[in-house]
Amino acid sequence: MTDESQSDRAPDDSASLESNSLTRERLAKYRKVMEDGGFPYSFSRTDTTADLKDRFPDLEPGASTGEIVTVAGRLMNTREMGKLIFAVVLDGWGSIQLFVDKRTLGGDTFDAFRDLDGGDWIGATGEVIVTERGELSVKIFEFTLLQKSLRPLPDKWHGLKDVEQRSRRRYLDLLANEDSRRVALTRAKIVSELRTQFESRGYIEVETPVLVGEATGATARPFKTRHNALDMEMQLRIATELFLKRLVIGGIERVFEIGRIFRNEGIDSTHNPEFTMLESYEAFADFQDVMVLVEEVVAACAIVATGGSEITYDGRQIDLAGPYRRATMLELTQEAVGEDMSYDTPVADLRVLARRHGIDPENHWGSGKLIEALFDRLVEETLWEPTFVTEHPIETSPLARAHREKPHVTERFELIIAGDEYANAFSELNDPFDQRARFEAQAAAKAAGDEEAHPIDEDYIRALEYGLPPTGGLGIGVDRLVMLLTDKHHIREVILFPTMRPEPKEES
RNA sequence: GGGUCGCUAGCUCAAUUGGCAGAGCAUCUGACUCUUAAUCAGGCGGCUCCGGGUUCGAGUCCCGGGCGACCCA
């Protein structure tokens, strides 16, 4: 189907640039530069905009410094005042005003500057001054057009609002919306802080395979692909867990990976098919030790992201300084259900209870899965303050070690904040016989209709037979942590290029 | 998968009961030597997402489709 308005909105080749009144003039100027020798291959600047603001923090209005600098960036906004032009140049660190005076530049150069368009990349040299109105500026005496922008930038005041366009054309979003730049930079700071936190504790960062024969370590549908030379089906990983634990078996006692994970499932406000997970494993630690680690790491990330451990999310305060509340899944669920129930309650009774709360239980669900479903339904979204929900059922935790005292449950926790899950951790199951039994239970569930059951990984069991020491493991959803710390409520706001349906082909 | 809302100028959005399709910004022309979303005057710019229907007349109502957002499962 032809969508004419689409091709008007986003002309796709030089023919449509020619046909659009907003781009025709820019194209003519571009061609003129190309005829006259083309655009520069490089450019030397003396200062970024941030450098200038650091170097000249509080000059008086009207000040002249005698300091000659060269800046470069994208021309964002010009305000013409007769024989004066005020222009804003945006670079990777911020923006600075150019003071363009016809008397300083001369008529020809001044006219050439007037000929620039919003979005053009320029370099400019001049004196650092402060205008009479107090704005730090560069009073330029020469400039260079570094590259032409053939298309107009988004609205200078409203920016680019359309959510789809902001994701598809992230470069425009970053140009037009300062908040998008802030989120991108904050994400980088958080990831960097995560590395710092783990490295400073002696953890070694590794990279494990993305491309695997069978995706393991979690219960999720994988992406499938094919390796031609090996003539074999392959999958993209759904977790890094089992590889990292092999490394602990190999003697790397503290190990972590920040890696892209792929799950072939739906897209919504908290799920993107590819996302970033941090997993860490520490020999000789248990889930209690990992809780302390998580408290310290999350608080440290909050401080680099927001300046403090007290953050605002969705209009409400959250204190991320530990220690966090600890509560078992069973007690929280009992409280929400308001009646006596436990893992010993007959499955038939739990099924009735689940149905009463709007859950449609599948046939193969046991008491553990039913209680977890009730927790997910009734409790999770009510937990606002950071809470370690502990002691998940064995049935739903095939890689977690059974609780040292309690039956039915594991030494596991999830960190819930503002109703969402941010971390998942456990004392790692290191008994190869128990692990085999868990895998077999998963296989049975699969045979009973559970499409998300964990596959048996024989090679991993063999590794366990060499001995995994007592180990505390952790997974943190990095994208969600960034959402929390930047006060964003959709995962696409913290992923620069979220997965999207391809754009319809344009007619030219 | 279900429900709700949306799709109008390059961008952000209006358009009364079905009655000439508009504004701001951008762009173009002109004025202006201290602007900060500059201001002022003027101009250009539309297959109203697509297809059908009702009607003297449809951006608006009806049917079908596409795309998107939000909520629910």
Side-chain angles (χ1 to χ4, degrees):
Chain A
M1 188 188 302
T2 303
D3 186 349
E4 294 286 347
S5 66
Q6 193 69 20
S7 58
D8 281 352
R9 190 175 306 132
D12 202 30
D13 55 18
S14 65
S16 49
L17 286 170
E18 194 72 74
S19 70
N20 185 309
S21 64
L22 286 166
T23 53
R24 196 181 302 123
E25 294 293 321
R26 290 170 182 253
L27 185 58
K29 292 174 191 173
Y30 173 86
R31 286 178 173 149
K32 179 74 164 52
V33 173
M34 293 305 282
E35 282 165 17
D36 295 347
F39 296 95
Y41 277 68
S42 68
F43 187 77
S44 294
R45 70 174 152 199
T46 61
D47 294 84
T48 67
T49 60
D51 292 337
L52 292 180
K53 285 176 179 172
D54 285 347
R55 285 175 61 193
F56 306 98
D58 30 44
L59 296 173
E60 293 298 310
S64 299
T65 62
E67 195 75 27
I68 306 303
V69 299
T70 299
V71 296
R74 202 185 272 275
L75 186 65
M76 292 306 282
N77 185 17
T78 56
R79 299 177 286 276
E80 249 185 272
M81 280 284 312
K83 298 184 179 65
L84 262 193
I85 301 171
F86 300 92
V88 175
V89 165
L90 178 72
D91 72 8
W93 290 264
S95 60
I96 191 91
Q97 178 168 269
L98 301 184
F99 184 94
V100 185
D101 186 338
K102 188 171 187 176
R103 281 193 309 219
T104 314
L105 278 186
D108 288 351
T109 310
F110 186 79
D111 286 343
F113 192 95
R114 291 185 63 208
D115 230 22
L116 294 171
D117 294 292
D120 288 352
W121 286 94
I122 62 167
T125 300
E127 181 188 2
V128 178
I129 64 158
V130 176
T131 62
E132 289 170 16
R133 294 295 174 87
E135 181 82 16
L136 184 65
S137 306
V138 178
K139 183 176 182 180
I140 70 169
F141 47 78
E142 62 180 28
F143 75 93
T144 309
L145 177 59
L146 301 174
Q147 178 63 23
K148 194 102 196 114
S149 173
L150 291 172
R151 299 173 188 269
L153 260 31
D155 189 278
K156 69 182 174 190
W157 179 241
H158 296 99
L160 185 64
K161 281 192 176 164
D162 182 277
V163 174
E164 185 188 355
Q165 291 305 317
R166 288 186 43 234
S167 295
R168 280 196 198 284
R169 311 212 197 288
R170 186 66 82 192
Y171 47 93
L172 292 181
D173 181 41
L174 291 167
L175 278 172
N177 300 317
E178 208 210 325
D179 195 52
S180 297
R181 294 197 288 276
R182 174 186 72 89
V183 171
L185 296 180
T186 303
R187 178 173 181 129
K189 283 190 202 168
I190 290 168
V191 171
S192 174
E193 180 63 18
L194 287 169
R195 282 212 163 80
T196 300
Q197 287 292 318
F198 282 89
E199 286 174 351
S200 70
R201 289 170 171 78
Y203 284 76
I204 305 299
E205 181 171 8
V206 298
E207 295 179 274
T208 63
V210 171
L211 210 48
V212 295
E214 183 167 32
T216 60
T219 54
R221 291 198 185 91
F223 283 89
K224 294 175 180 171
T225 184
R226 178 164 190 82
H227 189 278
N228 291 335
L230 292 178
D231 188 27
M232 66 178 285
E233 301 299 321
M234 299 198 82
Q235 301 183 349
L236 303 187
R237 67 182 177 192
I238 57 175
T240 51
E241 173 145 357
L242 300 191
F243 280 108
L244 293 176
K245 284 193 278 197
R246 283 176 172 93
L247 295 177
V248 178
I249 292 166
I252 305 179
E253 290 182 11
R254 297 184 184 194
V255 65
F256 79 106
E257 177 164 12
I258 298 173
R260 199 70 60 83
I261 302 295
F262 306 83
R263 294 185 181 174
N264 201 345
E265 291 170 357
I267 297 175
D268 63 26
S269 62
T270 55
H271 296 84
N272 195 64
E274 55 177 307
F275 62 100
T276 302
M277 181 133 83
L278 181 153
E279 285 194 40
S280 74
Y281 293 85
E282 177 177 348
F284 317 126
D286 68 9
F287 79 133
Q288 300 282 355
D289 299 316
V290 178
M291 283 187 209
V292 176
L293 173 68
V294 169
E295 285 166 345
E296 291 173 1
V297 167
V298 169
C301 288
I303 287 164
V304 299
T306 70
S309 57
E310 181 91 7
I311 66 161
T312 300
Y313 189 72
D314 205 12
R316 295 170 66 185
Q317 299 299 117
I318 304 175
D319 187 359
L320 293 175
Y324 304 153
R325 177 187 177 197
R326 284 132 164 95
T328 69
M329 178 175 281
L330 181 62
E331 71 197 24
L332 289 167
T333 308
Q334 283 170 334
E335 193 181 322
V337 168
E339 55 190 275
D340 195 36
M341 48 160 281
S342 75
Y343 294 101
D344 295 319
T345 304
V347 168
D349 295 353
L350 287 174
R351 291 178 70 86
V352 170
L353 200 55
R355 283 218 178 76
R356 201 189 304 154
H357 287 99
I359 297 163
D360 185 20
E362 298 191 24
N363 288 331
H364 54 84
W365 290 9
S367 60
K369 178 64 188 173
L370 286 161
I371 285 170
E372 187 171 283
L374 283 163
F375 171 84
D376 288 346
R377 180 88 183 179
L378 301 177
V379 182
E380 188 167 272
E381 68 180 17
T382 68
L383 298 175
W384 183 264
E385 291 297 324
T387 303
F388 289 125
V389 175
T390 65
E391 297 180 10
H392 295 57
I394 289 175
E395 183 184 345
T396 62
S397 311
L399 302 168
R401 194 166 180 176
H403 196 281
R404 66 194 75 183
E405 292 163 356
K406 301 181 184 178
H408 307 297
V409 298
T410 57
E411 296 201 355
R412 176 179 171 189
F413 72 83
E414 289 181 307
L415 173 60
I416 309 294
I417 304 169
D420 279 315
E421 176 196 332
Y422 290 87
N424 179 28
F426 27 90
S427 301
E428 299 298 331
L429 174 52
N430 63 347
D431 179 324
F433 303 103
D434 193 2
Q435 184 66 75
R436 180 178 293 283
R438 303 284 193 92
F439 279 159
E440 281 168 359
Q442 290 287 310
K446 185 162 196 156
D450 185 353
E451 290 181 42
E452 292 203 336
H454 194 290
I456 296 179
D457 188 336
E458 289 290 350
D459 182 73
Y460 176 66
I461 290 173
R462 172 162 50 186
L464 279 185
E465 286 167 358
Y466 285 94
L468 174 68
T471 296
L474 166 67
I476 293 177
V478 172
D479 311 273
R480 292 200 191 170
L481 182 62
V482 174
M483 287 168 65
L484 180 73
L485 298 180
T486 54
D487 197 15
K488 292 294 165 193
H489 306 105
H490 204 296
I491 197 168
R492 68 168 164 245
E493 297 293 331
V494 302
I495 294 178
L496 286 170
F497 298 100
T499 305
M500 300 182 81
R501 192 189 299 277
E503 220 167 357
K505 285 272 194 298
E506 293 171 1
E507 305 278 328
S508 53

